[in-house]
């Protein structure tokens, strides 16, 4: 919401869905029946975003030309959707090694709690590309 306000967006709508492809399809499909002036959709996970992509296509719109879409998780399917889904990668590939290292360090330190912040990063693919003028 902070990023939306920083971009001077005129409207932001929160939709609720279960974390599934069908949930994303239903939520965006229902919205598109009453509103078509949507610039972009930010989804809580990639499954919802994949459903949103299908709902947008079924409504006769194109991504990213008409509506841009971004997911969150960077699941494998996001690389293979058409168009390829932009997403936020929340877990680095070496997360298992990081957790094991933290566990070993906490055992050595007498089980003192440790904190490690993992910074997610944006994976830009086709669904969030800038529109041509």
């Amino acid at each position: 919401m902070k990023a939306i306000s920083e971009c001077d967006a005129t409207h932001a709508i929160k939709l609720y869905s279960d974390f599934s492809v069908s949930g994303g399809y239903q939520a965006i499909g229902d919205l598109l029946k009453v509103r078509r002036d949507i610039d972009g959709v930010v989804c809580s996970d990639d499954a919802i975003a994949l459903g949103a992509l299908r709902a947008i296509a079924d409504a006769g719109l194109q991504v990213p030309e008409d509506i841009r879409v971004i997911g969150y998780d960077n699941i494998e399917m996001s690389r293979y959707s058409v168009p390829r889904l932009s997403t936020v990668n929340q877990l680095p590939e070496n997360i298992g090694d990081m957790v094991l290292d933290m566990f070993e360090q906490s055992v050595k330190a007498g089980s003192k709690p440790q904190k490690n912040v993992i910074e997610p990063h944006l994976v830009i693919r086709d669904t969030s590309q800038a529109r041509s003028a």
Side-chain angles (χ1 to χ4, degrees), residues 93-104:
E93 288 72 29
N94 61 344
I95 188 75
D97 292 336
M98 290 173 60
V99 171
L100 184 56
D101 288 344
M102 286 179 64
F103 176 72
E104 288 174 348

Side-chain angles (χ1 to χ4, degrees), residues 1-122:
M1 295 306 290
K2 180 181 175 188
I4 290 170
S5 66
E6 288 174 358
C7 293
D8 295 326
T10 55
H11 294 84
I13 300 169
K14 286 185 185 179
L15 300 177
Y16 296 91
S17 160
D18 62 4
F19 290 89
S20 69
V21 175
S22 61
Y25 181 89
Q26 186 70 47
I28 297 303
D30 288 348
L31 177 62
L32 289 173
K33 289 176 186 172
V34 295
R35 291 196 69 156
R36 309 255 314 175
D37 60 337
I38 301 165
D39 184 55
V41 178
V42 178
C43 300
S44 300
D45 73 5
D46 286 353
I48 294 170
L50 292 171
L53 288 177
R54 182 77 253 160
I56 292 166
D58 286 353
L61 300 170
Q62 294 181 331
V63 174
E65 295 83 359
D66 299 315
I67 301 175
R68 291 174 277 191
V69 177
I70 187 164
Y72 195 97
D73 316 302
N74 197 28
I75 62 172
E76 183 178 12
M77 187 63 192
S78 65
R79 285 177 243 150
Y80 300 102
S81 64
V82 178
R84 294 175 303 148
L85 180 64
S86 293
T87 185
V88 175
N89 187 6
Q90 62 181 340
L91 297 175
E93 288 72 29
N94 61 344
I95 188 75
D97 292 336
M98 290 173 60
V99 171
L100 184 56
D101 288 344
M102 286 179 64
F103 176 72
E104 288 174 348
Q105 289 173 12
S106 68
V107 169
K108 290 176 184 175
S111 297
K112 292 181 183 175
Q114 292 190 24
K115 181 179 180 180
N116 190 355
V117 176
I118 298 171
E119 293 291 329
H121 67 275
L122 183 60

